[in-house]
Amino acid sequence: MTVQPKKVVLLYSGGLDTSCMLKWIPQHYAGCEMVTLTLDLGQGEDLDFARDKALKLGAAESHVLDVRERFAREYLAPAIQANAL
C-alpha cells in the first residue's frame, strides 16, 4: 500500500539538492502541498534568500527560524563540556 501524503515539510537549505526535492516530491505525489523549513544555527548567512527561493519554486509556505540560542544552549555547550571533537 502506497501512502499518498497531503503535506510534506522539507528541511530546506536553498541548495541544489533540496531545491530539486522541492520540485520532485509534488511530481511524484500529485496534490502534495510543500512547506519548507530553514533553521538559522548561526551560519552567518542571510537566510531570507532560501525563503524567497522556496516560494519561487512552488512551496506553499516557507519558514526560517532563528534557533541559534537554543542550539548553543542544548547542543554546543554540552558538547564543549564533554570535550567533544
Side-chain angles (χ1 to χ4, degrees):
M1 182 171 136
T2 303
V3 176
Q4 181 64 31
K6 294 179 181 166
K7 185 182 282 191
V8 172
V9 177
L10 177 67
L11 294 176
Y12 186 70
S13 68
L16 180 60
D17 53 348
T18 53
S19 295
C20 287
M21 291 308 297
L22 187 55
K23 298 300 279 184
W24 185 88
I25 292 171
Q27 289 175 351
H28 289 80
Y29 298 98
C32 180
E33 181 181 4
M34 295 298 299
V35 176
T36 64
L37 174 62
T38 304
L39 300 177
D40 182 355
L41 300 173
Q43 315 71 315
E45 301 174 16
D46 177 19
L47 297 176
D48 288 333
F49 84 92
R51 177 186 299 120
D52 296 339
K53 186 174 181 180
L55 293 171
K56 286 179 186 174
L57 289 173
E61 299 174 39
S62 182
H63 304 277
V64 176
L65 299 180
D66 182 350
V67 295
R68 293 175 292 180
E69 185 177 317
R70 182 175 180 182
F71 181 66
R73 181 181 64 250
E74 294 181 16
Y75 295 95
L76 296 181
I80 292 169
Q81 290 171 346
N83 292 323
L85 297 177

